[in-house]
Amino acid sequence: MFPDGDILDFVIKELPQNEYKYHELHYTYKSFEHYKLEKVTSRNSFSFTYNRKMRDEVYEHDSYDTLYDDVWQDCEAYGVFVDDQTEPVAYLELSREEWNDRLRITNLLVKEEYRRCGIGRFLIEKAKEIACKEDRRIITLETQSCNVPAIDFYLKQGFVFSGTNLFFYSNIDEEYDEIMVEMAYLY
C-alpha cells in the first residue's frame, strides 16, 4: 500500500542473467542520523560501539551498482513489476556462499517512489523463502553505518548486527563516516 492509502499491485519475476548482466542499479537515500563508531582500546582488550546520533547536516547518498557482477558466485536476481511496467521498480540479487552455507543479499533496491509500501519486506521474505528451501544456515548482507534507513529496515525484518570492517571501502572509511556493517538473519 502506498503511504497515501492506494493499493499497490505488483509481481515478482526472476531476471535472467543473459538479459540483466551488468544491469545498472541507482541507489539513493537521505539520512538525518548515522551510527557513529566509538573505539575503546587498552592493553588487554578492544571494543567497538556504534551510537546512533543526529548528523550536523543531511547525508545524501547517490551511487551505482550492477546486477550479476562477476565478483559474486552462483547468483540469481529478481525484479518487482508494478501494473504493466516493463522495468522493475525493485530488485533483489542473491549469491550463494557454499563454503560457509550462507545466502548473501548482494543487492536490494526499491526505487524511491515505491518505498514504504511493502515491496522491500516482500523481497526479504523471498530471500528467506529461498534460504529455507535450500536449508541455508544464515542470510547475510552488507550496509553502511551512514545508512540508518536501511539498518532500521533490516532490524525490523529480524536481522541482527554481525560484524564490521573499518577498512572495507577505503583506508579512511571512518573519516568518510561510511563504515561497512554486516547484518545477518539466523535460522
Side-chain angles (χ1 to χ4, degrees), residues 106-123:
T106 53
N107 277 298
L108 178 66
L109 170 67
V110 179
K111 291 183 179 179
E112 198 165 344
E113 60 271 26
Y114 292 94
R115 294 178 187 163
R116 302 184 113 20
C117 57
I119 293 174
R121 185 177 67 249
F122 181 73
L123 289 172

Side-chain angles (χ1 to χ4, degrees), residues 74 96-98 101-103 130-139 187:
D74 195 14
R96 286 153 184 87
E97 297 176 346
E98 298 301 338
D101 199 24
R102 300 190 308 184
L103 185 67
I130 292 168
C132 186
K133 180 179 165 189
E134 295 178 3
D135 199 28
R136 300 286 170 175
R137 67 180 183 86
I138 194 170
I139 300 172
Y187 286 91

